[in-house]
Amino acid sequence: QVQLAESGGGLVQTGGSLRLSCAASERIDSIRAMAWYRQVPGKQRELVASLTSRGRTNYADFVKGRFTISRDSAAITLYLQMNSLKPEDTAVYYCNADNLGFIIWGQGTQVTVSS
């Protein structure tokens, strides 16, 4: 079974940048889309950005112009470049993959933005 592992989280000041990575344990050509979500305690997990196998991207309004989702050419690692970070971006960030309707989640990585 394919596993996803996020990395790159940490503590950053307001206005700073981080790049999150999500590494798949193997390449799966049947993956239709991958995405980044985030969650804060007491709230539902929310979509941050998604990327289809055809290269179509979608961003939540609250990150448009600041975050960029991308994938390496080997289609094994998903990235989230986060710029101009705000305290409200503080959350656990998760990546997922849609493998023909079977959703795979990573374990999450904490991002904390200090004011």
Side-chain angles (χ1 to χ4, degrees):
Q1 182 176 344
V2 176
Q3 295 181 327
L4 302 176
E6 301 95 335
S7 62
L11 174 64
V12 65
Q13 292 185 334
T14 297
S17 298
L18 284 174
R19 188 175 83 154
L20 304 183
S21 299
C22 172
S25 55
E26 59 185 275
R27 176 176 174 144
I28 301 294
D29 292 330
S30 56
I31 287 179
R32 298 187 296 197
M34 296 186 74
W36 287 98
Y37 283 73
R38 69 186 189 186
Q39 188 171 26
V40 297
K43 292 190 176 182
Q44 287 189 332
R45 195 170 293 187
E46 59 184 0
L47 176 67
V48 175
S50 63
L51 174 63
T52 71
S53 59
R54 296 188 176 186
R56 179 171 295 181
T57 59
N58 180 54
Y59 294 93
D61 287 342
F62 52 78
V63 302
K64 282 182 180 177
R66 300 189 298 125
F67 292 9
T68 302
I69 189 171
S70 62
R71 196 172 175 182
D72 70 346
S73 58
I76 291 180
T77 304
L78 181 73
Y79 301 101
L80 184 68
Q81 177 66 43
M82 306 187 295
N83 299 327
S84 302
L85 283 162
K86 306 174 182 180
E88 51 264 44
D89 294 319
T90 295
V92 177
Y93 284 71
Y94 299 88
C95 69
N96 81 5
D98 177 356
N99 186 17
L100 297 180
F102 182 76
I103 305 300
I104 306 165
W105 289 96
Q107 82 288 350
T109 185
Q110 176 71 46
V111 171
T112 302
V113 185
S114 63
S115 56

